[in-house]
Amino acid sequence: MSKDKEVLYSELSQAVLEMDEERSVHISGEIVAEQYDAYEAVVHGLADGMDRAGRLFEEEEYFIPELLMCSDAMYAGLEVLKPHLKREESGGRKRVVIGVVEGDTHDIGKNLVKIMLETSGFDVYDLGRDISPQKFVDKAKEVGAEIIAVSTLMTTTMDAMAAVVQLLHEEKIKDKIRVMVGGGPISQSFADKIGADGYAANAAGAVRLAKKLAGGA
Amino acid sequence: MTADQMTPLERFSAYNRGDPIDRLPCVPIVGNAAARVIGARVSDFRGNGRLIASAQVAAYKLFGYDVIRVFTDLYTQAEAMGAKVHCPPDETAYLETPALTDTSEIDRLAPANPYRDGNLPGHLEAMKIALDQVGHEVSVTGAMTGPFTNASFLIGTEKLVRLTLKDPEKVHRLCEISLQTNLRYARAMMDIGCTPSLTDPMSSSMVISPGQFKEFSFPYLKRLIDFIHTRGKTVTLHICGKTSKIWGLMADAGADCLSIDNEADLLEAKQKVGGRVRIMGNVRPSEVMLQGTTGDVRAAVVACLRKAYDSPKGYIVASGCSLPTETPLRNIQAMLDTVREAGYPVNMEQLERGINHE
């Protein structure tokens, strides 16, 4: 007896929220077996679970360890669903280049934003950590990205963020590529000061911001 | 503006007794900004205790703040235990590779020998030189990374925080061996007359929950602080970010002074733990000290004073975290100037009028 797809999506969301990697794989397998839509399962199951985990994080019910375990469960499910995502649904997506600035190797925040963006329908090009301003710009040009997302957790590396915006101006492509910044020491006032297009305080906010920026680009 | 009438040691000892003082203690947490005072490059500090001492003593003499803290980065203990640290030419060093790639290697770890391993000998040398030069007038502390944070540098932060849920026993083993390094390093510091100053960013409630803090960080901090207390030293404990839910535990661990990050509120700190411990903080290191004007610094110091000048166990005007290397020296001066202007007892009304007339 097959389960209704909405029931499966909701169970998948719950498995992510409860950090249950095995269950996430199992339910994703059921969804594939039932030939339900994989993209819907990502959005209403996996991403929904991460979204709820993000809200628990904002409410200080969940902390970084829980969020990482949720993301492990999410990735495990994504591996199962990925081969079944239909081409046209992944076509025409907006592209984001993401990375942690030069001098900083803390990437928990960046990884979470990356996961949330991916499950929200963005194609994300992850440069990793300790990335020079020039590399952000070069990659964005290469892949035709609409958005560059730059993160840092350290006050010592904030100037590199301003350099990314500066480089885009120098290459006269600032009007084509939006820059969003985030991370512990960053604030809206800092984003304004360096001429970035937006600031997000957390991963869920980063997704909202990216959608807004991509829509307006 | 009145010049200081007391040395930092005289000021602290009078403040602790409840006797009159010339002004409140003030500690801009200068860190690598001291390099700019003597025109050195940050990477020149590597293994060069003499240069670290000369920068920190010069910065102390220039501003006249109340604690010298020998610091280059958070990784010195982990580095002495096998982690690899990347040193840009003129910026604060950062962790390149943790000491271990996998928890199966934990048995290979040994506590560091502070007289031999990594840059610990250089730091001890810096403390010794600073004490010889100005130890008669100011307390010299050595930055020390807390056991839980150091454990995160041994295995990698993401791995460690996953282990708190998946394999707690491994976390305890990493914290225990980190603690053994802490105890040896603390003993070496105190043998030359220096005091460890504890920093534990990964214990922040922006990283782990208060419950995880209690389980994985608190027991080791308490043992470390208990040991430091056996030598008659007082302990300042700094945890970055949001910490209001763990202030009680930080005090239970034995900390004499809590250094409050700018993500937390000083008024709340005073109300919650001000009756148990001294508090210090929390002018914003980046928005105010790095990017602000001297007027912004003055306003921020006055705002901190308004919240905490009358905290029952005492209050130290300070930055909320280590200052960025490029913090303008005039802003550090402005912090001290405002504390001198405030005098003691602090007259808030007069200070706030000063702001309005600018």
Side-chain angles (χ1 to χ4, degrees), chain A residues 60-76:
Chain A
E60 298 183 39
E61 290 290 324
Y62 270 15
F63 294 82
I64 299 282
E66 288 83 3
L67 272 192
L68 280 174
M69 301 280 286
C70 289
S71 77
D72 289 348
M74 194 225 72
Y75 265 126

Side-chain angles (χ1 to χ4, degrees), chain A residues 63-65 68 72 103 111 130, chain B residues 94-95 158 161-162 205 207 209:
Chain A
F63 294 82
I64 299 282
L68 280 174
D72 289 348
N111 290 343
D130 193 17
Chain B
Y94 59 89
L95 186 67
E158 285 199 23
V161 300
R162 278 188 176 92
S205 302
V207 180
S209 70

Side-chain angles (χ1 to χ4, degrees), chain A residues 7 68 81 85 92 95 103 108 123 157 165 167 180 191 199 204 210 213:
Chain A
V7 173
L68 280 174
L81 293 171
L85 287 170
R95 285 166 291 263
I108 291 180
D123 280 333
T157 57
V165 178
L167 276 174
M180 51 191 268
Y199 153 80
L213 293 177

Side-chain angles (χ1 to χ4, degrees), chain A residues 55-119:
Chain A
R55 279 202 296 277
L56 289 185
F57 183 71
E58 285 176 43
E59 290 162 11
E60 298 183 39
E61 290 290 324
Y62 270 15
F63 294 82
I64 299 282
E66 288 83 3
L67 272 192
L68 280 174
M69 301 280 286
C70 289
S71 77
D72 289 348
M74 194 225 72
Y75 265 126
L78 193 59
E79 281 309 305
V80 176
L81 293 171
K82 227 183 220 165
H84 303 279
L85 287 170
K86 291 187 190 111
R87 182 179 285 273
E88 53 272 23
E89 278 158 344
S90 49
R93 293 178 173 211
K94 302 291 184 182
R95 285 166 291 263
V96 180
V97 168
I98 194 169
V100 178
V101 294
E102 195 164 24
D104 193 348
T105 59
H106 302 80
D107 58 5
I108 291 180
K110 184 267 296 171
N111 290 343
L112 288 170
V113 172
K114 175 192 167 190
I115 293 164
M116 301 285 279
L117 286 174
E118 280 178 345
T119 51

Side-chain angles (χ1 to χ4, degrees), chain B residues 1-4 23 63-65 333 336-343:
Chain B
M1 192 89 37
T2 47
D4 290 343
R23 62 163 172 83
F63 300 113
Y65 50 71
Q333 187 62 49
L336 267 298
D337 286 350
T338 310
V339 177
R340 289 184 179 119
E341 181 195 345

Side-chain angles (χ1 to χ4, degrees), chain B residues 65-78:
Chain B
Y65 50 71
D66 289 270
V67 172
I68 289 180
R69 177 168 167 268
V70 170
F71 166 91
T72 55
D73 56 82
L74 292 169
Y75 312 105
T76 45
Q77 293 139 246

